[in-house]
Amino acid sequence: MLGDLFLTLGVLLVLYVVYQLWWTNIVAAQQTARNSAALQHRLDTHPFSAAAVPSDAVPTGQSFAFVYIPAFGPGWRALVMQGVDRTTVLNTGAVGHYTGPGTSFPWDADGNFAIAGHRDGHGMIFRDLDQLKAGDKIYVQTQYGWYVYQLDREAPSVPIADIGVIAAIPQGSGYTTAGHYITLTTCTPIYIDTSRLVWWGHLVETTHGTQAPAGVTPVQ
């Protein structure tokens, strides 16, 4: 009787692992493909206008940007959605934009554009975040143009509740004055998720219009 119970629990555990590490990735890939196509259509049909006034009125769950990280390979692109809700944003395979204090949009006068993504399951979009290095470029495409950031510093592990890392002047980043920053976060260690891995960078280039900056090839 006890052996049957252990066998059943073992089967359930295996099924749960398969669900987390395989099936959720398939579902997330389908969801983010649909959402990415919708945003790409908006960018294509509503091209950049110099008269457009950037707005921070982005509803939670809405897609508003693509982020390119060439260090992850040619054509690597992730969808950016407003908020970091697990069900409606992160579990769909997208990167989520923190809406808490201190986070901003790339087009704001200054601040910290802080984003998060899963490292295991649900598309595991930031699985290889630990493979980045200082000097790598991050390209963010929006309806207001492109924003290019250069990575400066990594925090391999910080407490999961440490919100200082996404402040306007992120704590631990080495920055001491207001500026245009980016923060990328994900869970660590992989499959355990008890802490956060963090990368910080600063804005080095802004390209207004649809022309992509050097160093990145847009996905069509």
Side-chain angles (χ1 to χ4, degrees), residues 106-118:
W107 53 79
D108 288 339
D110 59 23
N112 181 19
F113 178 53
I115 55 179
H118 279 311

Side-chain angles (χ1 to χ4, degrees), residues 121-158:
H122 301 286
M124 52 189 185
I125 199 66
F126 275 173
R127 180 182 180 87
D128 297 324
L129 209 65
D130 62 326
Q131 301 301 309
L132 296 177
K133 62 184 184 298
D136 284 341
K137 298 290 183 62
I138 309 295
Y139 299 81
V140 180
Q141 179 188 20
T142 78
Q143 69 182 97
Y144 306 115
W146 288 80
Y147 302 84
V148 186
Y149 300 85
Q150 179 176 299
L151 294 181
D152 297 313
R153 179 175 296 187
E154 177 192 19
S157 181
V158 299

Side-chain angles (χ1 to χ4, degrees), residues 47-58 107-108 142-145 147 208:
F48 171 83
S49 169
V53 178
S55 172
D56 289 355
V58 180
W107 53 79
D108 288 339
T142 78
Q143 69 182 97
Y144 306 115
Y147 302 84
H208 295 298

Side-chain angles (χ1 to χ4, degrees), residues 64-71 80 97 103-115 132-142 145-153 168 170 175 179-184 199-207 213-216:
F64 68 88
F66 288 113
V67 58
Y68 289 79
I69 305 181
V80 184
H97 172 229
T103 64
S104 65
F105 289 90
W107 53 79
D108 288 339
D110 59 23
N112 181 19
F113 178 53
I115 55 179
L132 296 177
K133 62 184 184 298
D136 284 341
K137 298 290 183 62
I138 309 295
Y139 299 81
V140 180
Q141 179 188 20
T142 78
W146 288 80
Y147 302 84
V148 186
Y149 300 85
Q150 179 176 299
L151 294 181
D152 297 313
R153 179 175 296 187
Y175 309 131
H180 293 87
Y181 305 122
I182 189 170
T183 300
L184 296 81
W199 265 105
W200 295 289
H202 69 284
L203 186 71
V204 295
E205 181 183 354
T206 300
T207 302
V216 64

Side-chain angles (χ1 to χ4, degrees), residues 86-110:
R86 279 182 172 272
T87 302
T88 60
V89 177
L90 299 182
N91 287 1
T92 69
V95 169
H97 172 229
Y98 285 100
T99 57
T103 64
S104 65
F105 289 90
W107 53 79
D108 288 339
D110 59 23

